Amino acid sequence: MAETLAFSTIPDQSKIDQLHILRDFKTSIQTINGFKDHLNKDDLLLRFLHARKFNLDDTMKMFNDYVVWRNEHKIDDPFDYPEVEQVKKYFPHGYFRTDKQGRPIYIERPGVLDFKKLLEVTTIERFLKYYIHCNEKLIHEIFPACVEESGHHAGQTVYIIDLAGMGIGTCAPGVLDIIKEMAVIGKNYYPEKNAETYIVNTPWIFYGLWAIISLWLNERTLSKIHIKGSNF
């Protein structure tokens, strides 16, 4: 299917071909080495199907890589991150209510990131592990809670990235490496979680960085990103 498909983590009963592909996908994933039954949920599987435009072969490859990655990184093991409040002090971020459609709103302020201080309270490896578990919480806890509260389907997030305060000092060595790693993790293992992204209060230095960062994102993701000026 070449057309852009409207995203939903609820099976569309009117699209018989998609229902058949979902049924075949649910059967096929049982053969993946290391597959765990708790991953066999329609809302999760539909994310991967949408990411690969309901091409079953392509989706199977993507999901197989996902299972291998989960097992290699022990994603299902408990993860304790006691430094989280200190991390948020030097890199403010978090979820703040929902929009009118019941979708969670995530806000982060990389413009005031203090990377040096951040690495004094955590490590890059632990921060990335934290990022992964934030995605796990989003998929398995936040989205269901939003649905329960609003009564609306909520399978994607609205992101607001506030760059106010961003300067050359914000772009410390290593920052782009982390952004790239997070982009890869999101694209490969947590697809279709982005409804819209608004990058606001963008200074001149951002546009040079964006030329690099945009290379790590797929076309579908880029189409959902809206860059606003410094007077937003």
Side-chain angles (χ1 to χ4, degrees):
M1 301 179 184
E3 74 274 15
T4 300
L5 299 169
F7 175 80
S8 176
T9 55
I10 300 174
D12 188 339
Q13 301 299 323
S14 69
K15 297 181 178 179
I16 303 301
D17 56 338
Q18 291 186 14
L19 291 175
H20 288 170
I21 293 170
L22 174 61
R23 178 199 62 196
D24 293 344
F25 186 35
K26 289 170 69 72
T27 300
S28 298
I29 57 177
Q30 303 289 336
T31 66
I32 297 176
N33 186 37
F35 172 77
K36 297 178 181 178
D37 286 340
H38 73 272
L39 299 178
N40 196 353
K41 299 191 300 183
D42 288 355
D43 60 338
L44 177 65
L45 302 183
L46 282 165
R47 294 183 184 281
F48 288 85
L49 285 167
H50 275 282
R52 291 297 177 264
K53 300 180 180 179
F54 280 80
N55 181 299
L56 184 57
D57 290 339
D58 290 348
T59 309
M60 277 295 295
K61 182 182 184 310
M62 185 183 189
F63 200 80
N64 182 81
D65 292 344
Y66 169 69
V67 171
V68 170
W69 172 79
R70 289 188 68 92
N71 291 333
E72 287 180 348
H73 291 80
K74 299 180 176 15
I75 304 302
D76 291 317
D77 289 357
F79 176 67
D80 188 28
Y81 200 60
E83 65 265 44
V84 63
E85 292 306 320
Q86 288 181 293
V87 166
K88 288 185 176 182
K89 178 179 178 181
Y90 301 119
F91 174 47
H93 64 280
Y95 286 92
F96 298 88
R97 301 185 180 182
T98 59
D99 69 358
K100 292 181 179 180
Q101 298 181 47
R103 302 176 300 189
I105 299 173
Y106 172 85
I107 302 175
E108 67 178 41
R109 299 182 61 204
V112 296
L113 166 68
D114 190 328
F115 192 58
K116 181 179 179 180
K117 290 287 188 181
L118 182 68
L119 294 186
E120 290 178 0
V121 299
T122 193
T123 65
I124 292 176
E125 181 180 3
R126 282 183 60 76
F127 181 79
L128 289 173
K129 189 82 169 177
Y130 165 66
Y131 171 72
I132 290 169
H133 280 266
C134 284
N135 278 288
E136 290 288 302
K137 184 176 181 178
L138 172 65
I139 299 295
H140 302 294
E141 297 180 29
I142 295 177
F143 283 143
C146 288
V147 172
E148 183 175 351
E149 180 178 335
S150 69
H152 300 297
H153 168 66
Q156 293 182 311
T157 299
V158 176
Y159 292 89
I160 300 175
I161 301 175
D162 185 357
L163 299 183
M166 183 180 185
I168 295 176
T170 309
C171 310
V175 172
L176 277 179
D177 292 335
I178 293 178
I179 294 174
K180 181 177 182 180
E181 187 67 24
M182 292 169 68
V184 169
I185 290 170
K187 178 174 64 176
N188 292 342
Y189 310 123
Y190 299 98
E192 299 297 331
K193 64 187 177 73
N194 176 23
E196 302 285 345
T197 294
Y198 297 91
I199 304 177
V200 302
N201 296 316
T202 51
W204 64 268
I205 193 174
F206 163 76
Y207 295 94
L209 294 173
W210 179 244
I212 299 172
I213 295 171
S214 61
L215 298 175
W216 306 330
L217 306 175
N218 60 43
E219 184 177 344
R220 186 174 173 90
T221 298
L222 287 171
S223 70
K224 301 175 183 179
I225 296 175
H226 313 283
I227 300 173
K228 304 298 182 178
S230 58
N231 296 321
F232 181 80

